[in-house]
Amino acid sequence: MKQKALVAGLTLALASAVAFAAPSAVTVNGKTISAQAQEKVIQQIVKNGQKRTPELEMQVRNQLIQKEVLLQEANRLKLANRAEVRDAINNARDTVLVNALVADYAKKNPVKDADVKKFYEEQKKAYGDKEYKVSLISVKTEAEAKKVIDSLKDGDKFATVAKKYSLDKNTKDKGGQLDGWNSSANFPQPLAVAVRALDEGDFTEVPVRVNNGYFILRVDDTRKAELFPTYEKSKDHYKNMLTQINVNKQIQKLNEKANIKIGK
């Protein structure tokens, strides 16, 4: 009985070894798709989280075969000689090179953990220590905004006035109420200042202008900030943000150093 179990175990192990053995080279009309080329694609897919299976290996092999068949046909038709195709190839090459440059800079200039922590604390401070439930009414002119404020001062309910006058399609039918809890940092600066200045239940008695419109805000409720993520949960996000900021600074430096002329 033990011998049978041992044989079965060896058979299973051998089957697994065969299933996940290195792929075999394939030829398509005499052109070789190497085992290394297949393995490189498989490893990239596995790195991205997909489990390696015999089905995956077969899928990769078939995709590479199909790609080679199509490339050979495209070359036979000399499609690369067409102007629009040549331009597309050159554009794709340029994009690859630019992305490689950005990745190279980020690799050679890694963001320090201390800088990530500092950046996180700055973002947390900007978020603030309070969260708000806010309702708003948006109108086009200052005269309309003053008319809304007069109605509210006369005792009309905010929700009723919002449904009657507000131009904001996302909140109009909800009596002006924004979804969920928000930090004042979520609003444009003039609105953020107004939100922080209001007590619960109060509305802005002076219309707040933003771009080409006017807003009347009411703070419905407040609480201690709860939604800002912890450092451990968000440090990768802020590290990526800081990396992108540094890359953008480097791009700006290159732009400033370049001899750029527009027109003749």
Side-chain angles (χ1 to χ4, degrees), residues 21-167:
S24 299
V26 179
T27 59
V28 179
N29 297 325
K31 177 74 178 293
T32 300
I33 301 172
S34 68
Q36 291 82 357
Q38 297 174 63
E39 184 64 28
K40 186 176 181 180
V41 176
I42 292 169
Q43 289 298 329
Q44 185 60 48
I45 294 173
V46 171
K47 183 179 179 180
N48 291 335
Q50 190 168 337
K51 185 178 180 181
R52 181 166 186 160
T53 63
E55 291 77 16
L56 175 62
E57 294 174 355
M58 182 179 295
Q59 182 181 14
V60 168
R61 183 186 66 196
N62 290 340
Q63 287 177 347
L64 291 176
I65 289 172
Q66 184 180 62
K67 178 182 176 182
E68 182 58 36
V69 168
L70 295 174
L71 280 174
Q72 289 182 18
E73 181 64 10
N75 289 330
R76 185 185 71 80
L77 296 173
K78 298 182 180 180
L79 298 182
N81 293 335
R82 294 181 180 178
E84 67 273 17
V85 176
R86 187 167 59 248
D87 290 343
I89 292 171
N90 289 335
N91 288 337
R93 176 181 177 277
D94 290 347
T95 299
V96 170
L97 285 174
V98 168
N99 289 340
L101 175 65
V102 169
D104 184 67
Y105 176 81
K107 183 178 180 180
K108 290 178 180 177
N109 299 274
V111 174
K112 297 178 181 178
D113 288 344
D115 291 334
V116 177
K117 178 66 173 176
K118 180 182 177 182
F119 185 60
Y120 168 84
E121 293 297 340
E122 290 171 351
Q123 300 305 306
K124 185 177 181 180
K125 182 178 180 180
Y127 184 87
D129 57 1
K130 291 176 71 175
E131 290 167 345
Y132 306 82
K133 280 194 174 181
V134 177
S135 294
L136 62 83
I137 298 171
S138 170
V139 294
K140 189 173 183 179
T141 68
E142 186 174 12
E144 290 172 321
K146 289 180 177 179
K147 184 177 181 180
V148 166
I149 291 170
D150 288 341
S151 294
L152 295 173
K153 286 182 176 180
D154 288 341
D156 292 345
K157 292 184 178 180
F158 196 96
T160 302
V161 178
K163 289 178 181 179
K164 183 176 180 180
Y165 292 107
S166 185
L167 300 177

Side-chain angles (χ1 to χ4, degrees), residues 96-256:
V96 170
L97 285 174
V98 168
N99 289 340
L101 175 65
V102 169
D104 184 67
Y105 176 81
K107 183 178 180 180
K108 290 178 180 177
N109 299 274
V111 174
K112 297 178 181 178
D113 288 344
D115 291 334
V116 177
K117 178 66 173 176
K118 180 182 177 182
F119 185 60
Y120 168 84
E121 293 297 340
E122 290 171 351
Q123 300 305 306
K124 185 177 181 180
K125 182 178 180 180
Y127 184 87
D129 57 1
K130 291 176 71 175
E131 290 167 345
Y132 306 82
K133 280 194 174 181
V134 177
S135 294
L136 62 83
I137 298 171
S138 170
V139 294
K140 189 173 183 179
T141 68
E142 186 174 12
E144 290 172 321
K146 289 180 177 179
K147 184 177 181 180
V148 166
I149 291 170
D150 288 341
S151 294
L152 295 173
K153 286 182 176 180
D154 288 341
D156 292 345
K157 292 184 178 180
F158 196 96
T160 302
V161 178
K163 289 178 181 179
K164 183 176 180 180
Y165 292 107
S166 185
L167 300 177
D168 189 272
K169 295 179 180 179
N170 293 324
T171 61
K172 179 181 178 72
D173 293 337
K174 295 183 290 186
Q177 191 172 71
L178 293 170
D179 292 335
W181 292 92
N182 292 278
S183 160
S184 62
N186 295 346
F187 298 93
Q189 184 62 17
L191 299 182
V193 172
V195 166
R196 290 194 295 268
L198 291 171
D199 292 326
E200 288 181 25
D202 288 347
F203 60 86
T204 51
E205 296 188 10
V206 176
V208 183
R209 184 172 184 177
V210 178
N211 298 325
N212 296 322
Y214 291 84
F215 290 82
I216 299 88
L217 302 177
R218 185 184 69 181
V219 169
D220 301 324
D221 198 0
T222 63
R223 72 178 185 186
K224 184 178 179 181
E226 299 178 10
L227 299 179
F228 198 80
T230 64
Y231 177 68
E232 287 303 316
K233 287 184 178 180
S234 61
K235 62 181 178 181
D236 288 342
H237 168 72
Y238 286 106
K239 183 175 183 179
N240 291 336
M241 282 184 63
L242 202 52
T243 297
Q244 189 59 55
I245 289 172
N246 291 343
V247 166
N248 289 341
K249 288 180 180 178
Q250 178 63 14
I251 292 172
Q252 184 60 36
K253 288 180 181 178
L254 292 174
N255 285 336
E256 292 171 356

